[in-house]
Amino acid sequence: MALRQLSRTLLLHAQQPRPMRPLLAAAAGAASASPFQHLLRRGYATKKYTESHEWISIDSGVATVGITEYAQNALGDVVYVEVPDPDSEVAADDVVGVVESVKSSSDIYSPLTGTIVDSNALVTKNCKLINKSPEKDAWLFKVKFSSQSEVDALLDEAAYKKLIEESDS
């Protein structure tokens, strides 16, 4: 009997409207501004690109790096991937790995100076993952970067799209 009463109470509670939390209310246009309001508009991660076709997702001082959809299409079927070892110190533009395909081989460059904090072992075991999901599941490594100016110098999405259009024409 107690279980039935609990179920009814939970059902009634779930059907009642709830007030918006203060942070969400501020983002929805309420008068009080939150210092975190920009995070709701912009998202938590910032995505950048390099001229050598790596994508970089910046979140809390750590950059996740992979190759772009454009690079994956140019390479074709990937047959081998080498990623850097965690705890390695890298400088911007250092060669840190390689992606080999049936068509060619391409070096992977670190877009930022810092320390490698993680490598995607899954992509080295299943390199076809790069062909299936290059800008999501097939990230290659994560680097804790030391220079915000290097991040600022990377391409945003509009500049990267322009680069691709110019190289295709």
Side-chain angles (χ1 to χ4, degrees):
M1 187 68 168
L3 187 57
R4 181 175 287 178
Q5 182 61 34
L6 179 61
S7 295
R8 282 189 201 137
T9 303
L10 290 173
L11 181 62
L12 288 173
H13 181 71
Q15 293 172 348
Q16 294 176 352
R18 294 191 181 117
M20 290 185 359
R21 294 183 4 195
L23 182 60
L24 295 177
S32 63
S34 165
F36 303 106
Q37 189 170 359
H38 69 283
L39 293 175
L40 293 172
R41 276 186 267 128
R42 192 175 74 120
Y44 292 103
T46 301
K47 197 160 187 182
K48 298 283 198 163
Y49 300 86
T50 67
E51 291 181 6
S52 56
H53 305 289
E54 286 94 9
W55 60 264
I56 302 94
S57 179
I58 307 292
D59 189 11
S60 302
V62 175
T64 302
V65 181
I67 66 167
T68 64
E69 182 77 35
Y70 181 85
Q72 178 274 139
N73 285 332
L75 284 168
D77 291 334
V78 175
V79 295
Y80 176 77
V81 179
E82 181 182 308
V83 295
D85 293 326
D87 299 322
S88 304
E89 296 292 324
V90 294
D93 299 324
D94 280 357
V95 174
V96 294
V98 67
V99 176
E100 293 180 7
S101 72
V102 293
K103 291 182 185 179
S104 66
S105 177
S106 181
D107 289 333
I108 302 167
Y109 298 91
S110 176
L112 304 167
T113 300
T115 304
I116 304 296
V117 293
D118 197 6
S119 294
N120 190 351
L122 186 60
V123 82
T124 59
K125 293 176 186 164
N126 180 11
C127 47
K128 299 284 186 205
L129 190 58
I130 288 182
N131 296 116
K132 294 176 185 169
S133 181
E135 294 195 36
K136 189 175 177 186
D137 299 326
W139 59 273
L140 301 173
F141 63 95
K142 295 182 181 190
V143 59
K144 182 163 182 59
F145 60 91
S146 56
S147 173
Q148 183 62 42
S149 63
E150 289 178 350
V151 173
D152 296 340
L154 296 170
L155 304 173
D156 63 14
E157 185 176 4
Y160 182 68
K161 284 182 178 180
K162 184 177 178 183
L163 174 77
I164 291 171
E165 289 170 3
E166 289 172 356
S167 65
D168 283 344
S169 50

